[in-house]
Structures are given as C-alpha cells and as structure tokens.
Amino acid sequence: MHSPVILALETSCDETAVAICDGSGTVLASEISTQIPEHQPYGGVVPEIASRNHIVRIRTLVLQAINNSGIHLEDVDCFAATSGPGLASSLLVGSTLAKSLALNCGRPFLAVNHLEGHLLSPFIGHREGVQPSIALIVSGGHTMLLHLRGPGDYEVLGRSRDDAAGEAFDKVGKMLGLLYPGGPEIDRQARRGDRKAFDFPRSMLDSGDYAFSFSGLKTSMLYLLPQLGETVTARIPDLCASFQEAIVDVVVKKSLKAAHQYRAGSISVSGGVSCNHRLREVFAEQCRRAKLDLYLADPALTTDNAAMIAYAALHRFKAGHRSPLEEDVNPNLPLTVA
Ligand code: KG4
Ligand code: ZN
C-alpha cells in the first residue's frame, strides 16, 4: 500500500458510494449501493428519498470499504467527498460525513467536483496515469467535450445547450414505456434492432463548434410515435437502435474532430452513457482508424461511483489542495482548473 491513502464518499444523486484508493491510484475498495429500485416507481430521482437513503446506507458502506481494503481508519490520510454538482440534500450527506471523519481522525478534508471524478475515471487502473486527451463526459446530468491537458488542467470546448445525452436516453425511454433509467434499457433493446430503420436528426453535427443539442432528437421521437400507431411495441428495438445511433454518431464525430483540431493523440470517454455498448464499439472502431489511443472508463466506473472521486481527490491532494471544513456543497459547482 502506497501513501497517501484516500477515503472518498459520493452521494451526489441516487448512488451511495464509498471507495478507498492508495497513493499509486490503486482502488483498494469500491462499494456502491444503488437506489434505482426506490426511484423507479416515480420515473426519476426524488431528492428527498435519495438523501434519506444515503443516510441509512452510508455507514455500512464505509465499514465495508474499510474491511474490504484491509486498511485501518488510522491509515487514511485524507477524507474526500463530492461537493457538487448534484442534489444539495444528497451532497450534504457525504460531505458532512467526510468532514466528521476528518475532524475525528485529525486528517484533512477535500471537496471534489463530481465532473472531475468522471473526467479522470478512464485512467484508473492505467499505469501511465492521466493522459492528455480530448475528453468526452456523457452522463445523466452533463454532456461536455474538454481538452484535458493534465490533472487540474482542462479547457471546456463545448457542452450541451439543452438535455444531457443520458437525460435524452431517459426521457425517450419513458416515451417508449421502458423502465427508469432508460439508458441501459435502450442499450439492451437496441441490440435486436436496425440502426437504419429510422432517420433521426444529428443535431449540431456541422455546427462548426463543440456544442451539443439533444432536445430536437427527443422531439422527433415524440412526433414519430403517434404515426406508428399500434406497431410501436413491435418497433421498439428499431426505435432504440436508430435513436441510440443518432447520439453515438454526433458525440463520436465531434470528439474525433476535436482530436484532429487539437492534435491530440488520445480520446477519453466517461460518464454513465459511456457504458453504452454501441458507443464503445463505434469509438473503438473510429479511434483505431484515426490511430488515436482510446481510454474508456471501466464499465463499472462509468455510472456514479466513489472510486473516481478518490482518484480525483488523490491528484488534488498530491498537488497540495485541502478544503476548509466550512466549505459548502454547491449543486451547480463548475469544473474549474487547479
Ligand atoms: O454518470 P451517471 O451515473 O450520473 C450522472 O452523473 O448524471 O449517469 C447516469 C446516466 C443515466 O442517464 C443513464 O440512463 C445513463 O447514464 N446510462 C446509459 C447506459 N447506462 C447508464 N445510457 C446509455 N446506455 C447505457 N448502457
Ligand atoms: Zn455522474
């Protein structure tokens, strides 16, 4: 075990997660308790249910992480927690517990940006560490393209003007009567479908910048469904495959264009949507053709987890960052450079 040892808590939305990593970036434990079944009846995350469940579950997860990592609480050099962006009442649970542990153990506290966690997650487990790359974050809350020059050194090239990619997956899933969250369900249905069955719009593909927009795609699905009448159920796999292809097409092409413009040798992709099978397949194919290295987050680390928060905290800790115990959570925390 290399020092420093980081224990991180992630409670920004509906996953309660605790992880421990050591100074080499090795993840010693990563515990996640998902609340999807609790929110499924409502078709989306209910903030109060989320925060109450975090409180109930987090203590057990901390104990599990300590047990599974083989470390002792006294070995922890820094307690970290996601401080935003996310749901305020959920963020407060992880943040307050990390501060209490820090105070109790006489160790520093570190507030971590959730997006920085996603951004660095493709490099977890790679001996070469964080690599300069064009970085795409595609999650439920965000769709962003960045130039990642190193830990803490980022330039945002573009972001979604309306829905995030995952949000579009979830809303379209709802329209099709699929279970929440729609992303994994659409991915599953799409495997049996024809990607060319429906011609959905590729919004902003040729906009000349790195902005995204997915609301038009969602609207075109909304108008198409009544036209299909009773055949909708039978066409769900085709609808899912064609819809998914439109999103994948835009995010892959824009990422490759940025890699070309910025002369980057690598592309890194993170966030919940990056566990989509078709997205991974097309990125792999296109990066091979363009002779670009591709860093995809491990599928288990694409959706929200605390390993990515511990990993991001490790880089900040090594760079000398510490956060005051007075530091508040911020539901709209922007991604800032170090
Ligand atoms: O990163 P994440 O856990 O939460 C945020 O930080 O927002 O991402 C969750 C999003 C949801 O919108 C979910 O539908 C989507 O990731 N997602 C997927 C897949 N798995 C999760 N979208 C497409 N295909 C998937 N296989
Ligand atoms: Zn996330």
Side-chain angles (χ1 to χ4, degrees):
M1 180 182 67
H2 299 76
S3 65
V5 173
I6 312 284
L7 188 150
L9 309 179
E10 154 63 40
T11 61
S12 67
C13 192
D14 60 341
E15 321 284 350
T16 318
V18 180
I20 297 172
C21 82
D22 77 3
S24 70
T26 303
V27 178
L28 305 176
S30 178
E31 311 297 321
I32 306 177
S33 170
T34 180
Q35 297 182 19
I36 286 177
E38 281 74 17
H39 299 278
Q40 219 154 37
Y42 306 94
V45 178
V46 182
E48 186 177 333
I49 294 179
S51 50
R52 286 175 185 268
N53 276 301
H54 288 316
I55 290 173
V56 172
R57 296 172 189 198
I58 200 154
R59 179 176 168 271
T60 308
L61 291 176
V62 170
L63 296 176
Q64 273 174 17
I66 296 276
N67 268 337
N68 293 341
S69 65
I71 64 142
H72 302 285
L73 199 56
E74 308 83 71
D75 300 329
V76 176
D77 295 292
C78 173
F79 292 90
T82 306
S83 65
L87 302 168
S89 55
S90 286
L91 290 164
L92 277 168
V93 178
S95 172
T96 305
L97 180 55
K99 288 175 185 176
S100 314
L101 286 165
L103 197 59
N104 191 52
C105 298
R107 301 289 191 206
F109 162 70
L110 200 48
V112 177
N113 186 304
H114 182 80
L115 292 172
E116 185 164 54
H118 278 305
L119 182 64
L120 303 186
S121 64
F123 304 100
I124 297 176
H126 289 274
R127 206 176 310 156
E128 65 271 33
V130 176
Q131 293 297 300
S133 56
I134 289 299
L136 175 72
I137 303 177
V138 268
S139 72
H142 298 84
T143 296
M144 289 170 88
L145 197 61
L146 302 102
H147 187 196
L148 160 56
R149 289 183 282 257
D153 188 4
Y154 325 119
E155 181 190 351
V156 179
L157 305 179
R159 62 179 86 229
S160 177
R161 295 201 174 151
D162 38 60
D163 292 348
E167 202 177 347
F169 268 100
D170 295 342
K171 286 178 178 169
V172 163
K174 217 173 199 174
M175 283 181 208
L176 297 175
L178 304 176
L179 276 180
Y180 171 84
E185 287 295 315
I186 289 177
D187 190 351
R188 231 186 321 275
Q189 293 284 343
R191 294 192 205 193
R192 300 186 287 121
D194 176 3
R195 302 193 283 267
K196 296 199 172 99
F198 299 97
D199 189 17
F200 285 111
R202 267 68 170 159
S203 304
M204 311 203 58
L205 187 57
D206 301 310
S207 60
D209 58 16
Y210 296 111
F212 300 92
S213 167
F214 299 109
S215 69
L217 176 57
K218 190 185 64 187
T219 309
S220 67
M221 177 69 84
L222 192 66
Y223 287 141
L224 173 65
L225 293 181
Q227 293 169 28
L228 296 178
E230 288 181 0
T231 64
V232 168
T233 314
R235 305 298 308 272
I236 283 185
D238 288 346
L239 287 163
C240 289
S242 302
F243 162 79
Q244 179 177 277
E245 198 66 10
I247 293 199
V248 169
D249 202 21
V250 174
V251 298
V252 170
K253 284 188 175 144
K254 286 211 159 186
S255 303
L256 265 94
K257 195 173 154 203
H260 183 70
Q261 185 186 336
Y262 288 84
R263 296 172 206 263
S266 309
I267 287 182
S268 57
V269 192
S270 61
V273 180
S274 75
C275 83
N276 181 274
H277 288 84
R278 182 65 185 152
L279 182 136
R280 296 175 87 89
E281 182 179 68
V282 177
F283 259 118
E285 200 177 291
Q286 295 301 321
C287 286
R288 196 179 52 239
R289 278 195 194 176
K291 296 193 169 35
L292 291 165
D293 290 331
L294 175 64
Y295 290 89
L296 288 167
D298 181 298
L301 300 181
T302 53
T303 45
D304 292 346
N305 64 86
M308 68 183 192
I309 304 303
Y311 190 72
L314 175 66
H315 287 88
R316 293 259 164 189
F317 185 86
K318 281 182 171 172
H321 292 248
R322 308 289 184 267
S323 306
L325 291 178
E326 292 73 23
E327 183 151 328
D328 200 2
V329 299
N330 181 354
N332 303 309
L333 189 67
L335 187 62
T336 47
V337 295

